[in-house]
Amino acid sequence: LPKIITPGDRAGEGYSKVLEPNFEQVQAHVPPKISDWKFCGSFPSPLKTNPYRSKLGGAFVSDNETILCDIVSHAKISTVSREYLRAGPREFCAFHPANVKACIVTCGGLCPGLNSVVREIYASLTQLYGVTEVYGIPMGYRGFYSTEFKIRKLDDQFLEYVHHQGGSVLGSSRGGHDTKLICDSIMDYGFNQVYIIGGDGTHRGAMLIFDELREREAKVSIVGIPKTIDNDIALIDKSFGFDTAVEEAQRAIRSAKVEAISTVNGIGLVKLMGRHSGMIAMYSCLASRDVNACLIPEVPFQLEGSWGLLQYIKECFA
């Protein structure tokens, strides 16, 4: 959604900017809703009536609340920004908990915290919203349709201790995406909430599933949970697995330092995860305080020359 940030007297005392929506473009950028093609009910959130969670009902998020993306502006002139709809619990739900049949699937590579995410989705659905049917899809996307695997109903006993284990309790795999077969399976099982945990490729697949189900005018919500230890997603505080990656990276850095100082002109070189993001490298270096140079893709550097990296390394041995 586009937003125009303008200076003006209407901001009031103590404020310098007024945020105004760009009405001509707002409607074109509003994401689609199931109610656009299928009748949806409007049920009061169980957070308002759940006696064990009564204090959670005072922090509902409005459908019109947004988060600014471009937060750097000019002090004296008008600037522009993008904004995104804010996620969070709504006061009214489109699905009655008694009619929800949810499923959870983990796709792609493994990531620290996967089991915790699966467990918390299940706990939120069952304990906060009163959902009784939550299923686990085995081994990624192919688990929807492959006869080799069995979709199982999740319960408290199965998930009680999984947050202490690594990997994915549901199993995970790369590939296996067949939009038609997956959507056929979702319709056959009667799932109306699908929680997909994965990275870039997984979410591209999730969008294909959403588009196909919309084409079929199915009343199904597709929910994507980003899985990246790189912490390279804007507008969220932190992606799960990032802290663990930084902690483990420091062990490698300490080992590299031991190797480097134990020989003549030794150099320790540690290569960390981050396809297009240097978050893990940067935070690992800040935490360890033992690194002379940190190279990240966001900051270009010069290798040769008097101001280059090689010259700096020579100076470190001086």
Side-chain angles (χ1 to χ4, degrees), residues 90-296:
R90 265 46 177 180
E91 188 172 1
F92 294 93
C93 303
F95 295 89
H96 192 284
N99 298 325
V100 170
K101 190 174 184 180
C103 67
I104 307 171
V105 60
T106 58
C107 304
L110 298 179
C111 176
L114 265 178
N115 285 336
S116 294
V117 175
V118 172
R119 185 174 182 268
E120 293 306 314
I121 294 174
Y122 168 82
S124 295
L125 287 171
T126 56
Q127 297 179 25
L128 296 183
Y129 285 88
V131 175
T132 58
E133 291 192 85
V134 183
Y135 293 80
I137 308 299
M139 299 301 169
Y141 278 136
R142 56 174 43 86
F144 276 103
Y145 57 84
S146 176
T147 56
E148 299 179 43
F149 312 112
K150 183 179 180 181
I151 297 175
R152 66 166 296 162
K153 187 175 183 180
L154 302 180
D155 54 48
D156 294 344
Q157 182 179 3
F158 179 68
L159 295 175
E160 185 173 6
Y161 300 110
V162 297
H163 55 300
H164 297 304
Q165 305 169 11
S168 170
V169 68
L170 302 178
S172 185
S173 66
R174 301 181 185 275
H177 187 277
D178 187 309
T179 304
K180 182 180 183 304
L181 291 179
I182 293 172
C183 291
D184 288 344
S185 176
I186 291 172
M187 301 292 288
D188 291 342
Y189 276 93
F191 296 134
N192 51 22
Q193 291 187 11
V194 181
Y195 295 85
I196 301 174
I197 308 170
D200 293 344
T202 298
H203 279 74
R204 284 193 290 270
M207 287 302 302
L208 293 175
I209 295 171
F210 170 79
D211 290 337
E212 175 66 20
L213 291 173
R214 179 171 58 175
E215 186 71 22
R216 300 186 187 191
E217 297 187 349
K219 188 179 178 181
V220 181
S221 287
I222 303 297
V223 183
I225 296 97
K227 172 182 65 67
T228 169
I229 63 172
D230 297 338
N231 198 36
D232 56 349
I233 302 175
L235 306 179
I236 66 172
D237 296 328
K238 194 180 297 180
S239 58
F240 69 89
F242 174 69
D243 284 341
T244 304
V246 171
E247 182 179 351
E248 293 297 323
Q250 291 178 65
R251 298 185 184 184
I253 292 173
R254 286 195 294 269
S255 298
K257 181 179 180 180
V258 171
E259 292 283 348
I261 64 178
S262 299
T263 187
V264 178
N265 294 333
I267 297 177
L269 178 63
V270 178
K271 183 179 180 181
L272 299 175
M273 289 283 292
R275 186 182 308 167
H276 303 296
S277 170
M279 285 292 223
I280 295 178
M282 181 178 69
Y283 276 82
S284 299
C285 292
L286 290 173
S288 72
R289 316 305 298 179
D290 286 328
V291 178
N292 297 102
C294 176
L295 308 179
I296 58 176

Side-chain angles (χ1 to χ4, degrees), residues 52-90:
Y52 300 104
R53 300 292 185 268
S54 58
K55 293 183 179 179
L56 297 177
F60 292 113
V61 176
S62 166
D63 289 339
N64 293 316
E65 286 189 39
T66 61
I67 300 292
L68 289 181
C69 178
D70 308 287
I71 61 175
V72 178
S73 65
H74 194 284
K76 297 182 179 180
I77 64 175
S78 298
T79 54
V80 295
S81 174
R82 295 162 294 170
E83 57 181 340
Y84 295 93
L85 292 176
R86 186 184 177 197
R90 265 46 177 180

